[in-house]
Amino acid sequence: MADGGGFGVAAAKVDEARLWQRHVDMAKLGGTPRGGVRRLALDANDIAARRLLADWARPHGWQVAMDAIGNLFIRRPGTDDAAAPVLSGSHTDTQPSGGRFDGIYGVLAAFEAMEAIAAAGIRTRRPIETVVWTCEEGGARFPMGTMGSGVFVGRTPLADARAVADYDGVTVGAALDAARAALADLPERPLGFPIAAFVEAHIEQGPILEERGLTIGVVTGIQGARRFRVDVEGADAHAGTTPRARRRDALSAAVAMVGALEAVFHDDPSDTVRFTVGRFVVTPNAPAVVPGHVSFTIDFRHPDEAVLTKLGDQVEPICKANARACAVTVTQTSRGKPVTFLDPVPAAVEKAAAGLGLPYLRMNSGAGHDAGPMQIAAPSGMIFVPCERGISHAEAENATPADLAAGARVLAEALVELAGR
């Protein structure tokens, strides 16, 4: 295969219509009546998404493999095929009422970029791989986000990840075994093999690019996050006969906890703190019974590690101070430090955007992504494209075909730069 030439040749081969159609095809796997997608980590639709990608890779002759945590890799060889590859991708799982672009865009943009590079006749020195990371969406099914990338870089032991259970008691290990059985024809890749760089394309998950009329976000970092699960244990009791003084009302105590937490976490004039109670489960959830158990989650984010520590460390004492007659257990389910992406990845993305004449902005991400843990293994970075009205993690999530294709063009050129000739 001849080398296809200089800058811009790969970008010119990105097929906007094909990229859009593949989003349409993927949206059928877990599609909701309101136009969104519910494709939870390692469920049947998530496994089917991996199968579809493998089928698309087959005509190219690209190797498709899966590692022990279920991460999927689609490999385009390099002229030095023993060299550490450049990876690009994201995730196929969504939130329970998720959209059509969060996660899957990064996977499809990477696959499209690989196809464009091949169509341009470009041979890179390093292999380039499209990757699907397992269970990025922490809490949607399993209470551990960026699981696949975290295990890949060694941040989370494989055995610990396999032991995590969803709210129905199904473990990651059982779900992985089912995925492996369904994809038994795919060879297994070593866990955590060396890589040269990682680039993740994504919708912005905010309104900044759209509001400023910009096409590309050159992402230079990710704010930190701490997540907690709070279990409040009271006692079921008859709603009509139990005096208030004798009640151990778990719901009442949990509401008091949330109110006290909000008073502390929302006391921020700059509106930088992000504090969310995202899941609230009441048991037995019956009209005539005083609730005996409540479980709720806390998602807390901030770009400053000192603030993450100072405020996050107050969660447990605040909850205990408002437990009333109940017992309370606070479990930190994950902690991610703020991440700064270092060159060469942001530089390659910026060079590609500028070279293609696309208006861009260097910016930080307010959301967690697989590129965060991947920075442990190799230089990493991200490309953002605009998301309509900044909506994400919702069925109304939307992006234009033109913006999606522009991001794929930037990605294609950045991958050529990073993989070398």
Side-chain angles (χ1 to χ4, degrees):
M1 182 188 295
D3 193 302
F7 182 86
V9 177
K13 295 295 184 178
V14 167
D15 187 327
E16 179 179 314
R18 178 175 60 193
L19 180 59
W20 181 259
Q21 183 59 49
R22 285 187 169 150
H23 279 88
V24 172
D25 294 340
M26 278 289 179
K28 296 173 183 176
L29 301 175
T32 67
R34 296 172 61 183
V37 174
R38 179 188 176 92
R39 191 168 51 233
L40 304 186
L42 297 173
D43 71 3
N45 287 310
D46 197 30
I47 295 170
R50 286 166 164 78
R51 169 56 65 196
L52 186 55
L53 284 162
D55 290 345
W56 287 340
R58 188 170 291 112
H60 296 283
W62 294 337
Q63 181 191 53
V64 184
M66 201 161 65
D67 68 11
I69 192 62
N71 299 319
L72 185 83
F73 303 91
I74 301 172
R75 180 182 181 92
R76 181 176 188 262
T79 56
D80 179 4
D81 210 40
V86 174
L87 268 58
S88 182
S90 192
H91 57 99
T92 53
D93 61 312
T94 72
Q95 287 291 322
S97 57
R100 298 173 293 154
F101 303 99
D102 180 356
I104 193 62
Y105 169 59
V107 174
L108 297 180
F111 194 88
E112 179 64 34
M114 281 175 46
E115 288 190 304
I117 293 167
I122 295 173
R123 301 186 68 188
T124 58
R125 183 178 74 83
R126 295 184 181 276
I128 298 174
E129 299 189 3
T130 293
V131 58
V132 176
W133 301 115
T134 296
C135 190
E136 192 270 357
E137 297 287 8
R141 181 181 182 187
F142 299 106
M144 180 186 287
T146 60
M147 181 188 294
S149 54
V151 172
F152 182 89
V153 302
R155 184 186 69 180
T156 305
L158 175 62
D160 290 358
R162 285 183 62 91
V164 172
D166 65 15
Y167 291 100
D168 294 322
V170 179
T171 65
V172 170
L176 280 171
D177 292 345
R180 169 48 70 189
L183 301 168
D185 57 308
L186 301 184
E188 186 160 327
R189 283 285 290 274
L191 190 60
F193 54 86
I195 67 169
F198 173 66
V199 194
E200 181 174 4
H202 209 284
I203 58 171
E204 184 205 338
Q205 298 187 293
I208 296 173
L209 293 176
E210 182 184 56
E211 289 179 351
R212 299 188 186 187
L214 301 172
T215 305
I216 299 295
V218 180
V219 185
T220 55
I222 299 174
Q223 70 178 352
R226 296 180 71 175
R227 295 184 176 91
F228 302 86
R229 172 172 171 157
V230 181
D231 288 287
V232 186
E233 194 68 45
D236 297 358
H238 195 295
T241 63
T242 309
R244 185 175 60 185
R246 294 190 178 183
R247 294 186 179 194
R248 296 176 58 212
D249 188 330
L251 178 56
S252 179
V255 169
M257 292 175 198
V258 173
L261 288 164
E262 287 185 336
V264 173
F265 282 76
H266 290 179
D267 185 21
D268 174 27
S270 69
D271 196 20
T272 304
V273 172
R274 296 289 179 265
F275 174 85
T276 304
V277 174
R279 182 180 175 90
F280 211 94
V281 180
V282 180
T283 306
N285 203 27
V289 180
V290 175
H293 183 84
V294 168
S295 175
F296 66 92
T297 61
I298 294 169
D299 183 306
F300 163 48
R301 310 186 192 202
H302 199 277
D304 188 331
E305 175 67 16
V307 176
L308 278 175
T309 298
K310 179 182 177 181
L311 287 180
D313 286 354
Q314 295 184 53
V315 169
E316 185 170 9
I318 289 173
C319 288
K320 288 185 174 179
N322 290 273
R324 300 181 176 177
C326 298
V328 60
T329 303
V330 177
T331 304
Q332 180 171 279
T333 56
S334 67
R335 177 167 185 165
K337 293 184 176 182
V339 173
T340 299
F341 295 135
L342 303 176
D343 288 334
V345 177
V349 173
E350 186 170 18
K351 177 181 177 180
L356 294 172
L358 297 171
Y360 67 89
L361 174 72
R362 293 177 70 90
M363 62 191 301
N364 207 45
S365 173
H369 304 278
D370 290 302
M374 289 307 296
Q375 180 77 4
I376 298 171
S380 299
M382 296 187 69
I383 300 167
F384 276 168
V385 297
C387 181
E388 185 178 327
R389 293 178 290 155
I391 296 173
S392 63
H393 281 197
E395 291 169 296
E397 183 181 283
N398 194 31
T400 68
D403 284 337
L404 299 176
R409 293 185 182 104
V410 170
L411 178 60
E413 295 299 329
L415 291 176
V416 170
E417 172 83 10
L418 293 166
R421 300 291 186 101

